[in-house]
Each structure stands twice: as structure tokens, then as C-alpha cells.
């Protein structure tokens, strides 16, 4: 972490008696794309604003490229920021908006014009330099805001929920563009979002935040498949939570309903008779036998939801219920509500949830 390009060191932020961010630590490598993911009020935007210089931490330090910027003004940090609101100047053309930071910095006109033209090409709006913001779509305006932030060649790019005001299709397209541009320029980037799919699809690493703390930091694969806490497991992706009773802690045996499941690891912190919460993703479950699916539970189908390419089936297991996803096949009609069902899965896919 000491060698990271961006170092957020033991940052804390208080508003009166309320602690918004508590002992937050993160190292971001040069060229890395890191997303802060969490619900509203978890502190993710506050951390971003502290890095940008718009908020002053109550404790801790911000290091960028080995330089302490904690007490520097925003315009002294060489950081680009894109906000949720496009914040474009309505009386300036697209080209003038993109070149605004260059003009303020005193960049010679010929050099600034060349940089603006380069940025227009990068955001794929080369013919739009003479237009005004009101003549652009929401997605185009956000691309201009991105170009304006990148034009002065900042060392670090911060994006605060830049896609939240856009419709679903535009969001997907633009997030792919942002990632492509980030890779092309190799700029270190921190992206704030409450959208789990967004974070999972474009990040090198994700910081899942809750209550002003980093609940877990890891790659999208790690965050989704190996959540460290109950909050992360429930917040990221769809999750089945099964309540079971420990029957043999040393052997990792747990009773769920009328069936006994043998986990792949001993339950060293549990005793026989203790209640345990087990998590399982819908895509890890099947109605038919699959190679490696060594565990099963029996129940009745209580709901069938047609979602296009995927059919989500809910099975009532008595005190528990479980949802699973199957691909839609025109040749195979889905089961009906009330049918008996045996759900199968690999015991290795079960996660023992921490509190």
C-alpha cells in the first residue's frame, strides 16, 4: 500500500457528533480502476470528495504520487472530477467547455485547440465542438463532462455516480466507453456507484462500503463469490440464505430442513445445536443432477418467473426457501407451481455467513 499511486491513510470524517467515515484505508495502484460501491449514506461520496479536496478529513492523510495533498486546494491537486450532474457551462460550446480548464491554466491557444480536438475524437464527438450543451443528449453531455475533466491531463480521475441520471441502455454503453477510455489513457480512476452490476462489470477492484467503513476490498470475482460479511453477501447479487442447525461441528455437518449437508470445512467456532446461516447464489443451483453437485434439498415449487432468457424458480423447503435460475429453452417448458422438486448444488458453493 505504501507504494500505491493513491494512498488514503486512516481517513476519518465527522459532521458534528456523527461519524460519516471511520478509519478508511485504501491503496490504488497506478492505472487501476477502483469502484466504491454501497448504499446511499455509506460514506463513498464523502471519501471521494476528501480525495478531491472538497472536504477536509477530521483525521488521516491523502497521498497522490507520493505527495501529501491533504491540505491542498482542489485546483492544486491535478485531479479531474466528473459529477453526477453534468455541470456544463450552458453559454459555452462543447469545445469551449472541454477547453475551459486549459484556458484557466494558461495553456497556449494552439496547444489547447489540439488537445480539445484530441478529446473530441476520444469521446467520439468530433463534429460536435460547435454545439451547445442543450443540443446534446444526456449521454453526450456526460461524455463532454468526462472530456473536460481529462483535457488538462490529470494524474487521477474521480467519477461520482456519473451515470445515475441516464437510462439503462445509455448507462451500459457509456460505462463501457468510460472503461475503454480509462484503459487507453492509463489514468488511475476511482468510480463511485450504488449499482452493483456497474461496479462488477468495469472495475479492477471494488470497495464495498457500509456505515462509513470498507466492508470488503477485492476483485469483482472475489466480492461476488467470496463475500466476507453478511452485508456484502446480501448487497452484491441475488442470494439465498438458508438457516441450518449444526449436528457435527468437527465434520462440518449441518441439518437444513429434513436433509443433512456436509460442508467442505469444519465449523471450528460452532457447537452442535447452534444455528447457522448459509448463503448460496441462484446460479449455483440446479433442478437436475450436474457433475460436482453433491448436495440436495427437497421441496415444492412455489413460484416460477419468466425473465426472458432466464427462468427464476422458487422452491419452498419448509422453514427455508430457495431461488434458482435456469436458461429458457423453447423445447422444455418450465415446471409448474406445486410440483415436487429436488434442488442440487455443490457443498463447496455454500458460504457460512459472518454476522
Amino acid at each position: 500500500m505504501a507504494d500505491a499511486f493513491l494512498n488514503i491513510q486512516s481517513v476519518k470524517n465527522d459532521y458534528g457528533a456523527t461519524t460519516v467515515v471511520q478509519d478508511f484505508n485504501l491503496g490504488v495502484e497506478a492505472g487501476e480502476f477502483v469502484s466504491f460501491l454501497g448504499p446511499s449514506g455509506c460514506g463513498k461520496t464523502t471519501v471521494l470528495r476528501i480525495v478531491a479536496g472538497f472536504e477536509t478529513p477530521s483525521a488521516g492523510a491523502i497521498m497522490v504520487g507520493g505527495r501529501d495533498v491533504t491540505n491542498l486546494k482542489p485546483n492544486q491537486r491535478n485531479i479531474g472530477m466528473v459529477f453526477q450532474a453534468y455541470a456544463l457551462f450552458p453559454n459555452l460550446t462543447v469545445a469551449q467547455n472541454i477547453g475551459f480548464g486549459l484556458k484557466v491554466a494558461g495553456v497556449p491557444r494552439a496547444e489547447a485547440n489540439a488537445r480539445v480536438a484530441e478529446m473530441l475524437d476520444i469521446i467520439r464527438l468530433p463534429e460536435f465542438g460547435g454545439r451547445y450543451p442543450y443540443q446534446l443528449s444526456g449521454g453526450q453531455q456526460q461524455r463532454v463532462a468526462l472530456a473536460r475533466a481529462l483535457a488538462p491531463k490529470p494524474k487521477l480521475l474521480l467519477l461520482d455516480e456519473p451515470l445515475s441520471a441516464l437510462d439503462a441502455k445509455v448507462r451500459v454503453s457509456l460505462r463501457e466507453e468510460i472503461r475503454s477510455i480509462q484503459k487507453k489513457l492509463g489514468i488511475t480512476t476511482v468510480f463511485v456507484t450504488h449499482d452493483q452490476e456497474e461496479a462488477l462489470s468495469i472495475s479492477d477492484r471494488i470497495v464495498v462500503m457500509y456505515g462509513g467503513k470498507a466492508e470488503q476490498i477485492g476483485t469483482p470475482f472475489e466480492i461476488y463469490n467470496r463475500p466476507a460479511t453478511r452485508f456484502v453477501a446480501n448487497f452484491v447479487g441475488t442470494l439465498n440464505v438458508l438457516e441450518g442447525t449444526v449436528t457435527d461441528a468437527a465434520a462440518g455437518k449441518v441439518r437444513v430442513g429434513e436433509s443433512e449437508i456436509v460442508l467442505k470445512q469444519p465449523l471450528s467456532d460452532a457447537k452442535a445445536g447452534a444455528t447457522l446461516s448459509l448463503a448460496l447464489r441462484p446460479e449455483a443451483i440446479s433442478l437436475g443432477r450436474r457433475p460436482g453437485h453433491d448436495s440436495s434439498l427437497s421441496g415444492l415449487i412455489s413460484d416460477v418467473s419468466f425473465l426472458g432468457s432466464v427462468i427464476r424458480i422458487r422452491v419452498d423447503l419448509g422453514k427455508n426457501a430457495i431461488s434458482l435460475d435456469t436458461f429458457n429453452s423453447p423445447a422444455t417448458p418450465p415446471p409448474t407451481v406445486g410440483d415436487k422438486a429436488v434442488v442440487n448444488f455443490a457443498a463447496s458453493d455454500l458460504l457460512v455467513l459472518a454476522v
Side-chain angles (χ1 to χ4, degrees):
M1 181 169 163
D3 297 328
F5 181 76
L6 167 64
N7 249 314
I8 304 173
Q9 301 175 344
S10 302
V11 162
K12 182 182 179 185
N13 201 61
D14 298 322
Y15 286 115
T18 304
T19 299
V20 179
V21 177
Q22 44 186 317
D23 194 29
F24 188 92
N25 292 276
L26 177 68
V28 181
E29 301 299 326
E32 192 176 18
F33 193 111
V34 173
S35 291
F36 290 173
L37 173 67
S40 297
C42 70
K44 56 189 187 294
T45 293
T46 301
V47 174
L48 200 75
R49 289 178 61 83
I50 288 171
V51 173
F54 298 122
E55 300 272 355
T56 302
S58 307
I62 304 295
M63 308 288 293
V64 178
R67 177 188 180 209
D68 189 340
V69 301
T70 311
N71 297 312
L72 296 182
K73 296 178 180 178
N75 63 349
Q76 297 173 319
R77 301 189 182 202
N78 195 16
I79 292 174
M81 187 156 182
V82 179
F83 299 91
Q84 180 177 341
Y86 315 130
L88 298 177
F89 301 113
N91 59 322
L92 300 183
T93 65
V94 166
Q96 289 169 336
N97 266 284
I98 294 173
F100 183 80
L102 302 173
K103 183 178 180 180
V104 171
V107 175
R109 180 176 294 182
E111 183 182 338
N113 288 343
R115 180 62 174 166
V116 169
E118 180 187 358
M119 295 312 303
L120 284 168
D121 281 336
I122 287 175
I123 63 171
R124 298 190 297 112
L125 294 175
E127 307 299 325
F128 286 66
R131 295 194 185 185
Y132 286 87
Y134 75 89
Q135 295 173 309
L136 306 180
S137 68
Q140 289 170 337
Q141 289 184 52
Q142 195 57 289
R143 280 151 68 186
V144 173
L146 176 63
R148 182 178 61 183
L150 292 170
K153 299 182 179 180
K155 293 180 180 178
L156 179 66
L157 178 64
L158 308 178
L159 301 110
D160 185 13
E161 303 209 44
L163 310 178
S164 60
L166 305 173
D167 64 55
K169 278 194 174 182
V170 175
R171 284 182 72 137
V172 172
S173 173
L174 193 50
R175 79 187 184 204
E176 291 171 355
E177 267 192 66
I178 288 173
R179 183 56 160 145
S180 175
I181 292 169
Q182 183 268 337
K183 284 183 177 179
K184 181 177 180 179
L185 299 178
I187 187 169
T188 309
T189 301
V190 179
F191 181 91
V192 164
T193 182
H194 63 270
D195 186 315
Q196 54 178 286
E197 182 183 305
E198 209 160 78
L200 290 168
S201 66
I202 62 176
S203 309
D204 292 315
R205 283 190 300 153
I206 297 171
V207 182
V208 182
M209 294 188 64
Y210 180 65
K213 298 187 299 182
E215 285 277 305
Q216 186 175 353
I217 301 172
T219 65
F221 182 88
E222 291 165 345
I223 294 292
Y224 186 85
N225 291 299
R226 293 291 178 263
T229 68
R230 181 185 288 266
F231 172 79
V232 175
N234 279 292
F235 188 77
V236 181
T238 303
L239 194 73
N240 292 294
V241 179
L242 303 172
E243 300 298 329
T245 304
V246 177
T247 55
D248 187 334
K253 294 182 178 179
V254 180
R255 180 166 294 281
V256 178
E258 299 302 317
S259 303
E260 189 171 66
I261 296 170
V262 182
L263 303 179
K264 294 302 181 183
Q265 73 277 357
L267 300 167
S268 54
D269 296 330
K271 295 181 180 179
T275 300
L276 206 63
S277 293
L278 303 171
L280 193 62
R281 299 288 186 193
E283 65 271 19
I285 310 165
S286 64
L287 283 180
R289 283 284 182 186
R290 288 184 193 170
H293 281 200
D294 52 14
S295 301
S296 62
L297 296 170
S298 300
L300 295 175
I301 293 175
S302 59
D303 187 59
V304 178
S305 299
F306 183 76
L307 305 175
S309 61
V310 171
I311 297 173
R312 177 154 293 177
I313 300 167
R314 188 169 179 82
V315 179
D316 189 343
L317 305 171
K319 291 184 179 180
N320 291 285
I322 202 165
S323 293
L324 63 117
D325 293 338
T326 63
F327 285 110
N328 173 38
S329 172
T332 307
T336 58
V337 173
D339 286 353
K340 291 182 179 180
V342 178
V343 295
N344 301 280
F345 52 89
S348 57
D349 286 330
L350 283 165
L351 300 171
V352 179
L353 293 182
V355 177

